[in-house]
Amino acid sequence: MRRLLFEGPGQVRWEDVAAPVLTSPRQALVRPLAVATCDLDIAALTGRFPLAGPYAFGHEGVAEVTVVGDAVTTVAPGDQVVVPFQISCGDCPPCRQSRTGNCTGYPPLSTYGLGAMGGHQWGGLLADLALVPDADAMLVPLPAGIDPEAVASASDNIPDGWRCVGPQLARSPGADVLVVGGSSGPSSIGLYAAGIAVALGAGRVVYLDEDADRLDIATTLGAEAMEGPPPSKVGSFPITVDASGSEIGLRCALNSTAFDGQCTSPSVYLDDPTVPMFSMYSRCCTLHTGRVHARAAIPQVLDLVARGFDPSVVTSSVAMWSDAAEALLDAPMKLVVRRTGAPTPPPSETVGYASPSLP
Ligand SMILES: [Zn+2]
Ligand SMILES: [Zn+2]
């Protein structure tokens, strides 16, 4: 099969490798149909985040199930499914508590398409086939009527945006929300958070950024665009999000968090910023950081999309599968690569459990 390999900033190429095969009855093989870039992919492609190549690329996508093991009961060949970027088992204590990103059934941080950080053995989703080790636990069937291209980021970045505002708005319906965006941060996650906050009926949703394109997207999503670099404070919001990836943005979000409010940061800071602990203490301000537990949040995201939230507003470019390598080198904010044409029948050697695991 063919898969796309990330070799380093600005360097990707297709390669031919052996197709994965089922080695246990809980597994499935899926054929990715629409694959999105994650904000971290773009940071790796541009050299902003140090991920060492080579590794199999792509970890957000909707796929078609091609083969399932005998123990799989919730999906069948032909089903379209969201493939969570994190590998999870569904049975361990963290999985049972919806903390699927910290599954203890597999090595810590196991993911598709992030090289050594996620474990090379899972491969990437920009490939003809991907192995899903616990199909019943991981795969989420795509509801009828939802375009795979629109929700290609439902594996990771859309749930990441949802967790920044969704649980908070469930506790505080109608609360005001501030999202601080910026070029050093997870740009699409900040926009998804703003759009989801609007869709969930937040009060005022302010999106702060210096980038005109992202401000336009925020406006289209129904948020109030505020242009400029982050000031020290922009007001008082019960729910804040720092998607700027910068210390100045984080401090703005924290200083703008209301009494008893919560700031969530989906950003990865490479420079260990300092935070205003004294004023946070004075306001009983909570800062939550860490990776999303994607699998647990995907059903809520798909439900929002079914009820009218359109994440495709955030997509900045779409390319055909065969043009993926060239399209990636442009490093658009959110690229969706989609496959066209009839499904490929699975190769015969993918049936049965006798063969060894993934390359
Ligand atoms: Zn990601
Ligand atoms: Zn688990």
PDB file of all heavy atoms in Angstrom, residues 161 164-165 176-182 186-197 204-209 215 218 223-224 226 234 237 239-244 249 252-253 264 266:
ATOM      1  N   GLY A 161     -11.264  21.523  20.511  1.00  0.00           N
ATOM      2  CA  GLY A 161     -11.997  22.782  20.669  1.00  0.00           C
ATOM      3  C   GLY A 161     -13.207  22.615  21.574  1.00  0.00           C
ATOM      4  O   GLY A 161     -13.489  23.462  22.423  1.00  0.00           O
ATOM      5  N   CYS A 164     -12.638  22.663  25.364  1.00  0.00           N
ATOM      6  CA  CYS A 164     -12.295  23.968  25.926  1.00  0.00           C
ATOM      7  C   CYS A 164     -13.526  24.749  26.375  1.00  0.00           C
ATOM      8  O   CYS A 164     -13.400  25.678  27.183  1.00  0.00           O
ATOM      9  CB  CYS A 164     -11.546  24.817  24.894  1.00  0.00           C
ATOM     10  SG  CYS A 164      -9.913  24.198  24.454  1.00  0.00           S
ATOM     11  N   VAL A 165     -14.676  24.429  25.815  1.00  0.00           N
ATOM     12  CA  VAL A 165     -15.885  25.221  26.114  1.00  0.00           C
ATOM     13  C   VAL A 165     -17.115  24.372  26.423  1.00  0.00           C
ATOM     14  O   VAL A 165     -18.022  24.835  27.128  1.00  0.00           O
ATOM     15  CB  VAL A 165     -16.222  26.182  24.941  1.00  0.00           C
ATOM     16  CG1 VAL A 165     -15.104  27.217  24.751  1.00  0.00           C
ATOM     17  CG2 VAL A 165     -16.443  25.408  23.631  1.00  0.00           C
ATOM     18  N   ASP A 176     -20.305  33.959  29.057  1.00  0.00           N
ATOM     19  CA  ASP A 176     -19.462  34.591  28.045  1.00  0.00           C
ATOM     20  C   ASP A 176     -18.149  33.818  27.899  1.00  0.00           C
ATOM     21  O   ASP A 176     -17.637  33.247  28.867  1.00  0.00           O
ATOM     22  CB  ASP A 176     -19.136  36.032  28.444  1.00  0.00           C
ATOM     23  CG  ASP A 176     -20.362  36.946  28.400  1.00  0.00           C
ATOM     24  OD1 ASP A 176     -21.386  36.536  27.798  1.00  0.00           O
ATOM     25  OD2 ASP A 176     -20.300  38.043  28.975  1.00  0.00           O
ATOM     26  N   VAL A 177     -17.628  33.843  26.676  1.00  0.00           N
ATOM     27  CA  VAL A 177     -16.419  33.074  26.360  1.00  0.00           C
ATOM     28  C   VAL A 177     -15.410  33.981  25.645  1.00  0.00           C
ATOM     29  O   VAL A 177     -15.781  34.742  24.751  1.00  0.00           O
ATOM     30  CB  VAL A 177     -16.763  31.862  25.449  1.00  0.00           C
ATOM     31  CG1 VAL A 177     -15.498  31.145  24.979  1.00  0.00           C
ATOM     32  CG2 VAL A 177     -17.698  30.894  26.169  1.00  0.00           C
ATOM     33  N   LEU A 178     -14.158  33.875  26.046  1.00  0.00           N
ATOM     34  CA  LEU A 178     -13.058  34.546  25.339  1.00  0.00           C
ATOM     35  C   LEU A 178     -12.113  33.496  24.789  1.00  0.00           C
ATOM     36  O   LEU A 178     -11.683  32.595  25.521  1.00  0.00           O
ATOM     37  CB  LEU A 178     -12.274  35.462  26.297  1.00  0.00           C
ATOM     38  CG  LEU A 178     -10.936  36.008  25.750  1.00  0.00           C
ATOM     39  CD1 LEU A 178     -11.163  37.018  24.627  1.00  0.00           C
ATOM     40  CD2 LEU A 178     -10.103  36.636  26.876  1.00  0.00           C
ATOM     41  N   VAL A 179     -11.786  33.598  23.496  1.00  0.00           N
ATOM     42  CA  VAL A 179     -10.766  32.744  22.897  1.00  0.00           C
ATOM     43  C   VAL A 179      -9.633  33.648  22.408  1.00  0.00           C
ATOM     44  O   VAL A 179      -9.862  34.560  21.620  1.00  0.00           O
ATOM     45  CB  VAL A 179     -11.317  31.918  21.711  1.00  0.00           C
ATOM     46  CG1 VAL A 179     -10.202  31.083  21.082  1.00  0.00           C
ATOM     47  CG2 VAL A 179     -12.471  31.030  22.154  1.00  0.00           C
ATOM     48  N   VAL A 180      -8.421  33.385  22.899  1.00  0.00           N
ATOM     49  CA  VAL A 180      -7.247  34.134  22.439  1.00  0.00           C
ATOM     50  C   VAL A 180      -6.534  33.277  21.399  1.00  0.00           C
ATOM     51  O   VAL A 180      -6.078  32.171  21.709  1.00  0.00           O
ATOM     52  CB  VAL A 180      -6.296  34.462  23.615  1.00  0.00           C
ATOM     53  CG1 VAL A 180      -5.103  35.269  23.106  1.00  0.00           C
ATOM     54  CG2 VAL A 180      -7.037  35.223  24.710  1.00  0.00           C
ATOM     55  N   GLY A 181      -6.474  33.766  20.169  1.00  0.00           N
ATOM     56  CA  GLY A 181      -5.792  33.049  19.096  1.00  0.00           C
ATOM     57  C   GLY A 181      -4.429  33.662  18.837  1.00  0.00           C
ATOM     58  O   GLY A 181      -4.050  34.661  19.453  1.00  0.00           O
ATOM     59  N   GLY A 182      -3.692  33.059  17.919  1.00  0.00           N
ATOM     60  CA  GLY A 182      -2.376  33.611  17.585  1.00  0.00           C
ATOM     61  C   GLY A 182      -1.598  32.642  16.726  1.00  0.00           C
ATOM     62  O   GLY A 182      -1.901  31.447  16.680  1.00  0.00           O
ATOM     63  N   PRO A 186      -2.401  26.602  18.492  1.00  0.00           N
ATOM     64  CA  PRO A 186      -3.252  25.670  17.740  1.00  0.00           C
ATOM     65  C   PRO A 186      -4.417  26.421  17.097  1.00  0.00           C
ATOM     66  O   PRO A 186      -5.507  26.511  17.659  1.00  0.00           O
ATOM     67  CB  PRO A 186      -3.706  24.683  18.820  1.00  0.00           C
ATOM     68  CG  PRO A 186      -3.695  25.475  20.089  1.00  0.00           C
ATOM     69  CD  PRO A 186      -2.616  26.509  19.940  1.00  0.00           C
ATOM     70  N   SER A 187      -4.147  26.967  15.913  1.00  0.00           N
ATOM     71  CA  SER A 187      -5.060  27.935  15.304  1.00  0.00           C
ATOM     72  C   SER A 187      -6.452  27.384  15.064  1.00  0.00           C
ATOM     73  O   SER A 187      -7.450  28.035  15.355  1.00  0.00           O
ATOM     74  CB  SER A 187      -4.474  28.422  13.984  1.00  0.00           C
ATOM     75  OG  SER A 187      -3.215  29.012  14.196  1.00  0.00           O
ATOM     76  N   SER A 188      -6.530  26.170  14.509  1.00  0.00           N
ATOM     77  CA  SER A 188      -7.875  25.667  14.198  1.00  0.00           C
ATOM     78  C   SER A 188      -8.628  25.325  15.480  1.00  0.00           C
ATOM     79  O   SER A 188      -9.836  25.501  15.556  1.00  0.00           O
ATOM     80  CB  SER A 188      -7.801  24.462  13.252  1.00  0.00           C
ATOM     81  OG  SER A 188      -7.507  23.260  13.930  1.00  0.00           O
ATOM     82  N   ILE A 189      -7.921  24.857  16.506  1.00  0.00           N
ATOM     83  CA  ILE A 189      -8.603  24.485  17.756  1.00  0.00           C
ATOM     84  C   ILE A 189      -9.270  25.713  18.373  1.00  0.00           C
ATOM     85  O   ILE A 189     -10.412  25.645  18.850  1.00  0.00           O
ATOM     86  CB  ILE A 189      -7.610  23.839  18.738  1.00  0.00           C
ATOM     87  CG1 ILE A 189      -7.087  22.516  18.173  1.00  0.00           C
ATOM     88  CG2 ILE A 189      -8.280  23.597  20.101  1.00  0.00           C
ATOM     89  CD1 ILE A 189      -5.935  21.901  18.966  1.00  0.00           C
ATOM     90  N   GLY A 190      -8.578  26.850  18.340  1.00  0.00           N
ATOM     91  CA  GLY A 190      -9.170  28.072  18.865  1.00  0.00           C
ATOM     92  C   GLY A 190     -10.433  28.458  18.113  1.00  0.00           C
ATOM     93  O   GLY A 190     -11.433  28.876  18.713  1.00  0.00           O
ATOM     94  N   LEU A 191     -10.394  28.309  16.794  1.00  0.00           N
ATOM     95  CA  LEU A 191     -11.575  28.647  15.987  1.00  0.00           C
ATOM     96  C   LEU A 191     -12.710  27.656  16.231  1.00  0.00           C
ATOM     97  O   LEU A 191     -13.878  28.046  16.335  1.00  0.00           O
ATOM     98  CB  LEU A 191     -11.200  28.692  14.505  1.00  0.00           C
ATOM     99  CG  LEU A 191     -10.307  29.879  14.136  1.00  0.00           C
ATOM    100  CD1 LEU A 191      -9.688  29.691  12.758  1.00  0.00           C
ATOM    101  CD2 LEU A 191     -11.110  31.186  14.195  1.00  0.00           C
ATOM    102  N   TYR A 192     -12.381  26.354  16.314  1.00  0.00           N
ATOM    103  CA  TYR A 192     -13.439  25.387  16.636  1.00  0.00           C
ATOM    104  C   TYR A 192     -14.059  25.719  17.997  1.00  0.00           C
ATOM    105  O   TYR A 192     -15.278  25.629  18.169  1.00  0.00           O
ATOM    106  CB  TYR A 192     -12.876  23.964  16.665  1.00  0.00           C
ATOM    107  CG  TYR A 192     -12.461  23.400  15.322  1.00  0.00           C
ATOM    108  CD1 TYR A 192     -11.228  22.761  15.168  1.00  0.00           C
ATOM    109  CD2 TYR A 192     -13.306  23.477  14.215  1.00  0.00           C
ATOM    110  CE1 TYR A 192     -10.841  22.228  13.945  1.00  0.00           C
ATOM    111  CE2 TYR A 192     -12.920  22.945  12.990  1.00  0.00           C
ATOM    112  CZ  TYR A 192     -11.687  22.324  12.862  1.00  0.00           C
ATOM    113  OH  TYR A 192     -11.313  21.795  11.652  1.00  0.00           O
ATOM    114  N   ALA A 193     -13.215  26.098  18.957  1.00  0.00           N
ATOM    115  CA  ALA A 193     -13.745  26.426  20.292  1.00  0.00           C
ATOM    116  C   ALA A 193     -14.720  27.597  20.205  1.00  0.00           C
ATOM    117  O   ALA A 193     -15.803  27.567  20.814  1.00  0.00           O
ATOM    118  CB  ALA A 193     -12.593  26.746  21.243  1.00  0.00           C
ATOM    119  N   ALA A 194     -14.343  28.624  19.441  1.00  0.00           N
ATOM    120  CA  ALA A 194     -15.225  29.788  19.309  1.00  0.00           C
ATOM    121  C   ALA A 194     -16.542  29.392  18.638  1.00  0.00           C
ATOM    122  O   ALA A 194     -17.629  29.761  19.100  1.00  0.00           O
ATOM    123  CB  ALA A 194     -14.518  30.882  18.511  1.00  0.00           C
ATOM    124  N   GLY A 195     -16.451  28.623  17.553  1.00  0.00           N
ATOM    125  CA  GLY A 195     -17.661  28.218  16.839  1.00  0.00           C
ATOM    126  C   GLY A 195     -18.547  27.311  17.672  1.00  0.00           C
ATOM    127  O   GLY A 195     -19.780  27.422  17.643  1.00  0.00           O
ATOM    128  N   ILE A 196     -17.932  26.424  18.418  1.00  0.00           N
ATOM    129  CA  ILE A 196     -18.706  25.508  19.260  1.00  0.00           C
ATOM    130  C   ILE A 196     -19.369  26.283  20.404  1.00  0.00           C
ATOM    131  O   ILE A 196     -20.522  26.011  20.767  1.00  0.00           O
ATOM    132  CB  ILE A 196     -17.797  24.367  19.774  1.00  0.00           C
ATOM    133  CG1 ILE A 196     -17.468  23.422  18.606  1.00  0.00           C
ATOM    134  CG2 ILE A 196     -18.464  23.596  20.912  1.00  0.00           C
ATOM    135  CD1 ILE A 196     -16.365  22.411  18.905  1.00  0.00           C
ATOM    136  N   ALA A 197     -18.651  27.269  20.947  1.00  0.00           N
ATOM    137  CA  ALA A 197     -19.258  28.085  22.001  1.00  0.00           C
ATOM    138  C   ALA A 197     -20.509  28.788  21.477  1.00  0.00           C
ATOM    139  O   ALA A 197     -21.550  28.821  22.161  1.00  0.00           O
ATOM    140  CB  ALA A 197     -18.247  29.113  22.524  1.00  0.00           C
ATOM    141  N   ARG A 204     -21.722  36.193  25.117  1.00  0.00           N
ATOM    142  CA  ARG A 204     -20.801  36.865  24.207  1.00  0.00           C
ATOM    143  C   ARG A 204     -19.627  35.919  23.943  1.00  0.00           C
ATOM    144  O   ARG A 204     -19.068  35.353  24.884  1.00  0.00           O
ATOM    145  CB  ARG A 204     -20.325  38.129  24.929  1.00  0.00           C
ATOM    146  CG  ARG A 204     -19.606  39.117  24.109  1.00  0.00           C
ATOM    147  CD  ARG A 204     -19.274  40.354  24.975  1.00  0.00           C
ATOM    148  NE  ARG A 204     -18.377  41.218  24.261  1.00  0.00           N
ATOM    149  CZ  ARG A 204     -17.359  41.880  24.820  1.00  0.00           C
ATOM    150  NH1 ARG A 204     -17.121  41.761  26.118  1.00  0.00           N
ATOM    151  NH2 ARG A 204     -16.583  42.647  24.083  1.00  0.00           N
ATOM    152  N   VAL A 205     -19.280  35.726  22.667  1.00  0.00           N
ATOM    153  CA  VAL A 205     -18.100  34.909  22.336  1.00  0.00           C
ATOM    154  C   VAL A 205     -17.117  35.822  21.613  1.00  0.00           C
ATOM    155  O   VAL A 205     -17.361  36.246  20.476  1.00  0.00           O
ATOM    156  CB  VAL A 205     -18.452  33.699  21.447  1.00  0.00           C
ATOM    157  CG1 VAL A 205     -17.181  32.911  21.101  1.00  0.00           C
ATOM    158  CG2 VAL A 205     -19.471  32.803  22.128  1.00  0.00           C
ATOM    159  N   VAL A 206     -16.027  36.141  22.278  1.00  0.00           N
ATOM    160  CA  VAL A 206     -15.025  37.050  21.710  1.00  0.00           C
ATOM    161  C   VAL A 206     -13.841  36.232  21.230  1.00  0.00           C
ATOM    162  O   VAL A 206     -13.313  35.392  21.970  1.00  0.00           O
ATOM    163  CB  VAL A 206     -14.572  38.087  22.759  1.00  0.00           C
ATOM    164  CG1 VAL A 206     -13.437  38.949  22.202  1.00  0.00           C
ATOM    165  CG2 VAL A 206     -15.740  38.963  23.180  1.00  0.00           C
ATOM    166  N   TYR A 207     -13.429  36.468  19.983  1.00  0.00           N
ATOM    167  CA  TYR A 207     -12.248  35.810  19.431  1.00  0.00           C
ATOM    168  C   TYR A 207     -11.209  36.881  19.139  1.00  0.00           C
ATOM    169  O   TYR A 207     -11.417  37.768  18.316  1.00  0.00           O
ATOM    170  CB  TYR A 207     -12.594  35.039  18.148  1.00  0.00           C
ATOM    171  CG  TYR A 207     -11.367  34.377  17.552  1.00  0.00           C
ATOM    172  CD1 TYR A 207     -10.920  33.154  18.031  1.00  0.00           C
ATOM    173  CD2 TYR A 207     -10.625  35.012  16.553  1.00  0.00           C
ATOM    174  CE1 TYR A 207      -9.757  32.566  17.530  1.00  0.00           C
ATOM    175  CE2 TYR A 207      -9.475  34.433  16.040  1.00  0.00           C
ATOM    176  CZ  TYR A 207      -9.055  33.208  16.537  1.00  0.00           C
ATOM    177  OH  TYR A 207      -7.903  32.638  16.043  1.00  0.00           O
ATOM    178  N   LEU A 208     -10.064  36.802  19.812  1.00  0.00           N
ATOM    179  CA  LEU A 208      -9.003  37.802  19.705  1.00  0.00           C
ATOM    180  C   LEU A 208      -7.834  37.235  18.901  1.00  0.00           C
ATOM    181  O   LEU A 208      -7.351  36.128  19.187  1.00  0.00           O
ATOM    182  CB  LEU A 208      -8.522  38.177  21.115  1.00  0.00           C
ATOM    183  CG  LEU A 208      -7.274  39.051  21.251  1.00  0.00           C
ATOM    184  CD1 LEU A 208      -7.535  40.466  20.749  1.00  0.00           C
ATOM    185  CD2 LEU A 208      -6.820  39.091  22.712  1.00  0.00           C
ATOM    186  N   ASP A 209      -7.386  37.976  17.900  1.00  0.00           N
ATOM    187  CA  ASP A 209      -6.283  37.490  17.066  1.00  0.00           C
ATOM    188  C   ASP A 209      -5.747  38.663  16.250  1.00  0.00           C
ATOM    189  O   ASP A 209      -6.414  39.698  16.131  1.00  0.00           O
ATOM    190  CB  ASP A 209      -6.785  36.375  16.128  1.00  0.00           C
ATOM    191  CG  ASP A 209      -5.668  35.447  15.646  1.00  0.00           C
ATOM    192  OD1 ASP A 209      -4.524  35.913  15.485  1.00  0.00           O
ATOM    193  OD2 ASP A 209      -5.952  34.255  15.417  1.00  0.00           O
ATOM    194  N   LEU A 215      -9.665  35.899  11.842  1.00  0.00           N
ATOM    195  CA  LEU A 215     -10.731  36.770  12.353  1.00  0.00           C
ATOM    196  C   LEU A 215     -11.974  36.658  11.475  1.00  0.00           C
ATOM    197  O   LEU A 215     -13.102  36.634  11.977  1.00  0.00           O
ATOM    198  CB  LEU A 215     -10.238  38.220  12.422  1.00  0.00           C
ATOM    199  CG  LEU A 215      -9.221  38.489  13.545  1.00  0.00           C
ATOM    200  CD1 LEU A 215      -8.510  39.815  13.314  1.00  0.00           C
ATOM    201  CD2 LEU A 215      -9.909  38.485  14.914  1.00  0.00           C
ATOM    202  N   ALA A 218     -13.706  33.450  12.339  1.00  0.00           N
ATOM    203  CA  ALA A 218     -14.394  33.583  13.633  1.00  0.00           C
ATOM    204  C   ALA A 218     -15.713  34.329  13.465  1.00  0.00           C
ATOM    205  O   ALA A 218     -16.739  33.957  14.051  1.00  0.00           O
ATOM    206  CB  ALA A 218     -13.494  34.300  14.633  1.00  0.00           C
ATOM    207  N   ALA A 223     -18.797  34.473  16.059  1.00  0.00           N
ATOM    208  CA  ALA A 223     -18.111  35.093  17.199  1.00  0.00           C
ATOM    209  C   ALA A 223     -17.873  36.573  16.917  1.00  0.00           C
ATOM    210  O   ALA A 223     -17.971  37.037  15.785  1.00  0.00           O
ATOM    211  CB  ALA A 223     -16.784  34.382  17.467  1.00  0.00           C
ATOM    212  N   GLU A 224     -17.532  37.298  17.973  1.00  0.00           N
ATOM    213  CA  GLU A 224     -17.209  38.713  17.876  1.00  0.00           C
ATOM    214  C   GLU A 224     -15.698  38.820  17.703  1.00  0.00           C
ATOM    215  O   GLU A 224     -14.947  38.426  18.596  1.00  0.00           O
ATOM    216  CB  GLU A 224     -17.671  39.389  19.174  1.00  0.00           C
ATOM    217  CG  GLU A 224     -17.409  40.859  19.293  1.00  0.00           C
ATOM    218  CD  GLU A 224     -17.808  41.359  20.693  1.00  0.00           C
ATOM    219  OE1 GLU A 224     -18.759  40.820  21.296  1.00  0.00           O
ATOM    220  OE2 GLU A 224     -17.136  42.269  21.183  1.00  0.00           O
ATOM    221  N   MET A 226     -12.096  40.409  17.603  1.00  0.00           N
ATOM    222  CA  MET A 226     -11.368  41.512  18.218  1.00  0.00           C
ATOM    223  C   MET A 226      -9.945  41.463  17.682  1.00  0.00           C
ATOM    224  O   MET A 226      -9.233  40.480  17.896  1.00  0.00           O
ATOM    225  CB  MET A 226     -11.383  41.365  19.743  1.00  0.00           C
ATOM    226  CG  MET A 226     -10.699  42.507  20.482  1.00  0.00           C
ATOM    227  SD  MET A 226     -10.740  42.257  22.287  1.00  0.00           S
ATOM    228  CE  MET A 226     -12.453  42.607  22.662  1.00  0.00           C
ATOM    229  N   VAL A 234      -8.725  41.751  28.602  1.00  0.00           N
ATOM    230  CA  VAL A 234      -9.754  42.297  27.702  1.00  0.00           C
ATOM    231  C   VAL A 234     -11.134  42.330  28.344  1.00  0.00           C
ATOM    232  O   VAL A 234     -12.104  42.676  27.680  1.00  0.00           O
ATOM    233  CB  VAL A 234      -9.844  41.508  26.374  1.00  0.00           C
ATOM    234  CG1 VAL A 234      -8.591  41.668  25.566  1.00  0.00           C
ATOM    235  CG2 VAL A 234     -10.161  40.050  26.603  1.00  0.00           C
ATOM    236  N   PHE A 237     -14.388  37.120  31.799  1.00  0.00           N
ATOM    237  CA  PHE A 237     -15.124  36.042  31.143  1.00  0.00           C
ATOM    238  C   PHE A 237     -15.090  34.790  32.028  1.00  0.00           C
ATOM    239  O   PHE A 237     -14.008  34.353  32.439  1.00  0.00           O
ATOM    240  CB  PHE A 237     -14.496  35.699  29.790  1.00  0.00           C
ATOM    241  CG  PHE A 237     -14.541  36.796  28.778  1.00  0.00           C
ATOM    242  CD1 PHE A 237     -13.633  37.845  28.824  1.00  0.00           C
ATOM    243  CD2 PHE A 237     -15.499  36.800  27.764  1.00  0.00           C
ATOM    244  CE1 PHE A 237     -13.669  38.873  27.899  1.00  0.00           C
ATOM    245  CE2 PHE A 237     -15.542  37.825  26.817  1.00  0.00           C
ATOM    246  CZ  PHE A 237     -14.623  38.869  26.894  1.00  0.00           C
ATOM    247  N   ILE A 239     -15.426  31.839  31.063  1.00  0.00           N
ATOM    248  CA  ILE A 239     -14.758  30.762  30.312  1.00  0.00           C
ATOM    249  C   ILE A 239     -13.763  31.409  29.354  1.00  0.00           C
ATOM    250  O   ILE A 239     -14.137  32.254  28.531  1.00  0.00           O
ATOM    251  CB  ILE A 239     -15.794  29.935  29.513  1.00  0.00           C
ATOM    252  CG1 ILE A 239     -16.826  29.306  30.458  1.00  0.00           C
ATOM    253  CG2 ILE A 239     -15.093  28.867  28.669  1.00  0.00           C
ATOM    254  CD1 ILE A 239     -18.048  28.743  29.747  1.00  0.00           C
ATOM    255  N   THR A 240     -12.497  31.024  29.479  1.00  0.00           N
ATOM    256  CA  THR A 240     -11.484  31.552  28.566  1.00  0.00           C
ATOM    257  C   THR A 240     -10.663  30.400  27.988  1.00  0.00           C
ATOM    258  O   THR A 240     -10.586  29.307  28.564  1.00  0.00           O
ATOM    259  CB  THR A 240     -10.522  32.541  29.268  1.00  0.00           C
ATOM    260  OG1 THR A 240      -9.837  31.850  30.321  1.00  0.00           O
ATOM    261  CG2 THR A 240     -11.277  33.734  29.852  1.00  0.00           C
ATOM    262  N   VAL A 241     -10.068  30.682  26.823  1.00  0.00           N
ATOM    263  CA  VAL A 241      -9.273  29.680  26.110  1.00  0.00           C
ATOM    264  C   VAL A 241      -8.010  30.369  25.610  1.00  0.00           C
ATOM    265  O   VAL A 241      -8.095  31.431  24.996  1.00  0.00           O
ATOM    266  CB  VAL A 241     -10.057  29.111  24.897  1.00  0.00           C
ATOM    267  CG1 VAL A 241      -9.223  28.063  24.163  1.00  0.00           C
ATOM    268  CG2 VAL A 241     -11.407  28.554  25.322  1.00  0.00           C
ATOM    269  N   ASP A 242      -6.860  29.770  25.859  1.00  0.00           N
ATOM    270  CA  ASP A 242      -5.653  30.294  25.216  1.00  0.00           C
ATOM    271  C   ASP A 242      -5.219  29.370  24.098  1.00  0.00           C
ATOM    272  O   ASP A 242      -4.652  28.305  24.341  1.00  0.00           O
ATOM    273  CB  ASP A 242      -4.476  30.480  26.171  1.00  0.00           C
ATOM    274  CG  ASP A 242      -3.273  30.990  25.370  1.00  0.00           C
ATOM    275  OD1 ASP A 242      -3.500  31.861  24.506  1.00  0.00           O
ATOM    276  OD2 ASP A 242      -2.163  30.477  25.520  1.00  0.00           O
ATOM    277  N   ALA A 243      -5.505  29.799  22.868  1.00  0.00           N
ATOM    278  CA  ALA A 243      -5.035  29.059  21.692  1.00  0.00           C
ATOM    279  C   ALA A 243      -3.952  29.860  20.980  1.00  0.00           C
ATOM    280  O   ALA A 243      -3.715  29.659  19.791  1.00  0.00           O
ATOM    281  CB  ALA A 243      -6.207  28.778  20.749  1.00  0.00           C
ATOM    282  N   SER A 244      -3.304  30.765  21.703  1.00  0.00           N
ATOM    283  CA  SER A 244      -2.263  31.591  21.077  1.00  0.00           C
ATOM    284  C   SER A 244      -0.911  30.900  21.089  1.00  0.00           C
ATOM    285  O   SER A 244      -0.051  31.183  20.263  1.00  0.00           O
ATOM    286  CB  SER A 244      -2.137  32.926  21.812  1.00  0.00           C
ATOM    287  OG  SER A 244      -1.453  32.758  23.048  1.00  0.00           O
ATOM    288  N   GLY A 249      -0.344  35.694  25.272  1.00  0.00           N
ATOM    289  CA  GLY A 249      -1.722  35.268  25.057  1.00  0.00           C
ATOM    290  C   GLY A 249      -2.276  34.522  26.257  1.00  0.00           C
ATOM    291  O   GLY A 249      -3.434  34.729  26.660  1.00  0.00           O
ATOM    292  N   CYS A 252      -3.012  36.978  28.969  1.00  0.00           N
ATOM    293  CA  CYS A 252      -4.235  37.725  28.647  1.00  0.00           C
ATOM    294  C   CYS A 252      -5.464  36.889  28.999  1.00  0.00           C
ATOM    295  O   CYS A 252      -6.404  37.386  29.633  1.00  0.00           O
ATOM    296  CB  CYS A 252      -4.244  38.094  27.158  1.00  0.00           C
ATOM    297  SG  CYS A 252      -5.791  38.819  26.593  1.00  0.00           S
ATOM    298  N   ALA A 253      -5.450  35.626  28.602  1.00  0.00           N
ATOM    299  CA  ALA A 253      -6.606  34.756  28.890  1.00  0.00           C
ATOM    300  C   ALA A 253      -6.790  34.602  30.401  1.00  0.00           C
ATOM    301  O   ALA A 253      -7.918  34.686  30.909  1.00  0.00           O
ATOM    302  CB  ALA A 253      -6.415  33.395  28.223  1.00  0.00           C
ATOM    303  N   THR A 264      -8.933  27.229  29.774  1.00  0.00           N
ATOM    304  CA  THR A 264      -8.415  25.972  29.230  1.00  0.00           C
ATOM    305  C   THR A 264      -7.408  26.300  28.139  1.00  0.00           C
ATOM    306  O   THR A 264      -7.656  27.159  27.296  1.00  0.00           O
ATOM    307  CB  THR A 264      -9.548  25.108  28.645  1.00  0.00           C
ATOM    308  OG1 THR A 264     -10.513  24.877  29.666  1.00  0.00           O
ATOM    309  CG2 THR A 264      -9.007  23.772  28.133  1.00  0.00           C
ATOM    310  N   PRO A 266      -5.347  24.528  25.087  1.00  0.00           N
ATOM    311  CA  PRO A 266      -4.955  23.400  24.236  1.00  0.00           C
ATOM    312  C   PRO A 266      -3.581  23.618  23.602  1.00  0.00           C
ATOM    313  O   PRO A 266      -3.166  22.824  22.770  1.00  0.00           O
ATOM    314  CB  PRO A 266      -6.056  23.406  23.168  1.00  0.00           C
ATOM    315  CG  PRO A 266      -6.409  24.855  23.022  1.00  0.00           C
ATOM    316  CD  PRO A 266      -6.220  25.485  24.392  1.00  0.00           C
TER     317      PRO A 266
END
